[in-house]
Amino acid sequence: MIDLDTGVPAELTAWLRSALPAAEPPFTCRRISGGYSMLTYHLDDATGHHWVLRHPPAGHHAGRAHDTDREARVMTALAGTAVPVPAVVAVGAATDPLGAPCHITEFVAGQVVSDEDAARRLGPDALRTATTDIVTALATLHSIDPDAAGLGDFGPRTGYLERQLHRWRAVIDAAAGGDTADLAAALAGLADLIERNIRPDSAVRVVHGDYRLGNAIVGDDGRVRAVLDWELASLGDPLADLAGLVAFWNPPAAAMLGDRMPTLAPGAIGTDEVVRRYGAETGADLGNLWVYHTFAAWRLACTALRAHARYASGAMKDNSDLTRFTTACAAWIEAANTSAKDQS
């Protein structure tokens, strides 16, 4: 696979000229920071045209967490709707010169408000717009009929939470052991609690899977110009997206590995308003939302446990303090337990 950090070789230049007929070489690439499951690059040509190219890391050419074809398909389907998405202009296969599946989208000008500092630079008025707009964009996504959008076969149509529980239970089992045994046991108990309280899916809609303000591009006025990172999208229960958004709105400080969310800055609406706005715009029945809140925190605890296992194995080539992951896992478990006790 070609390493784009070292430049764009002749064979890839030829492919890009074919994929982007209006482009003029030479091309330059520079890495866009953020994200761990996809490598993302700002691609420029000699005329000053800009695109974004994404591809999975070396050795990860299959599976939903690295599936550029899946991501390109959902963005293409949503391009004709009111959901703001980048325009897909090219899709590449592993057999093409890059040596990995990829997609290229038009560059969307604006900023990613990924943390509190970025939100403070945006300013309170624009941040209020951004935090209301991100809720409206989610309600708009969940108003779309998957069949009408050509996504009726994008995933199973029932049992979204059950499938997620099955998947993450396997992660818990694989990561458990040693100093994480108590955490794994707590997660297993929460999974049982969630499973006992699942109702039939609230609807069958396209769900983003990792929906939050930091996965969007906003303008200086705070308007959401594009929702990004669709690689975990599927058909499923829309309330899982809502709960995931709320989980990252004002998360436990110990769970965030030092990061502070943009929604903590002055001007952001609160979580109660997030839920009220979503309910008003969708008409969704939110009576069992506590189960989804519990699930969202539980799943984030599972990701922290998995990260601990990966780093402990040496796979990430990083010997830094592993207790940050167990601390984060414990904080998300506490948040999940709090949601379960509230049952509201």
Side-chain angles (χ1 to χ4, degrees):
M1 186 175 73
I2 291 172
D3 182 357
L4 292 175
D5 291 318
T6 63
V8 182
E11 63 270 26
L12 183 57
T13 294
W15 182 82
L16 288 170
R17 290 195 70 179
S18 175
L20 305 169
E24 290 291 338
F27 296 96
T28 58
C29 269
R30 53 187 172 85
R31 180 87 67 88
I32 299 173
S33 62
Y36 299 97
S37 60
M38 290 277 198
L39 299 179
T40 306
Y41 292 87
H42 193 148
L43 176 68
D44 302 306
D45 76 348
T47 68
H49 201 123
H50 310 295
W51 300 270
V52 173
L53 185 152
R54 276 165 67 83
H55 72 79
H60 292 278
H61 295 173
R64 215 171 47 150
H66 309 283
D67 195 336
T68 52
D69 287 345
R70 188 176 185 84
E71 191 173 45
R73 181 185 171 190
V74 70
M75 288 190 294
T76 299
L78 294 174
T81 73
V83 180
V85 292
V88 178
V89 295
V91 176
T95 53
D96 289 319
L98 179 61
C102 70
H103 62 65
I104 301 172
T105 60
E106 290 286 358
F107 177 79
V108 179
Q111 53 191 301
V112 176
V113 187
S114 58
D115 57 28
E116 186 179 7
D117 289 341
R120 288 181 179 274
R121 290 192 296 270
L122 187 65
D125 291 342
L127 183 60
R128 179 168 181 82
T129 298
T131 53
T132 55
D133 232 28
I134 198 69
V135 178
T136 295
L138 185 63
T140 302
L141 171 65
H142 293 163
S143 72
I144 293 169
D145 181 347
D147 294 308
L151 294 169
D153 62 346
F154 199 56
R157 300 180 73 91
T158 59
Y160 181 74
L161 287 189
E162 290 91 340
R163 297 196 311 274
Q164 290 284 314
L165 288 171
H166 177 75
R167 174 191 173 196
W168 286 102
R169 275 172 165 148
V171 171
I172 294 169
D173 291 343
D179 59 348
T180 65
D182 289 345
L183 295 173
L187 288 170
L190 279 166
D192 292 342
L193 173 68
I194 294 165
E195 188 170 44
R196 288 196 302 270
N197 287 279
I198 293 175
R199 296 179 184 173
D201 290 354
S202 60
V204 179
R205 290 291 184 263
V206 176
V207 293
H208 181 278
D210 189 20
Y211 195 86
R212 48 197 165 94
L213 182 59
N215 277 341
I217 294 174
V218 305
D220 291 341
D221 59 357
R223 296 301 304 271
V224 173
R225 296 180 175 177
V227 177
L228 309 175
D229 292 354
W230 291 89
E231 63 195 88
L232 296 179
S234 183
L235 295 187
D237 192 322
L239 294 186
D241 264 353
L242 174 62
L245 176 64
V246 170
F248 274 117
W249 208 266
N250 186 16
M256 298 310 298
L257 306 181
D259 293 336
R260 287 184 59 80
M261 294 295 98
T263 38
L264 297 176
I269 65 174
T271 54
D272 288 347
E273 187 171 350
V274 170
V275 174
R276 283 197 304 270
R277 283 179 174 272
Y278 179 88
E281 294 188 31
T282 63
D285 178 1
L286 305 179
N288 206 39
L289 192 57
W290 73 268
V291 175
Y292 297 88
H293 287 320
T294 303
F295 164 75
W298 174 85
R299 185 170 67 172
L300 288 164
C302 291
T303 66
L305 185 68
R306 181 178 63 182
H308 178 277
R310 285 178 173 174
Y311 278 76
S313 72
M316 305 304 291
K317 300 180 180 179
D318 184 332
N319 296 319
S320 53
D321 182 15
L322 294 177
T323 61
R324 67 193 193 276
F325 297 117
T326 53
T327 298
C329 182
W332 282 121
I333 288 172
E334 183 178 356
N337 280 318
T338 298
S339 295
K341 289 175 184 176
D342 288 345
Q343 296 193 15
S344 59

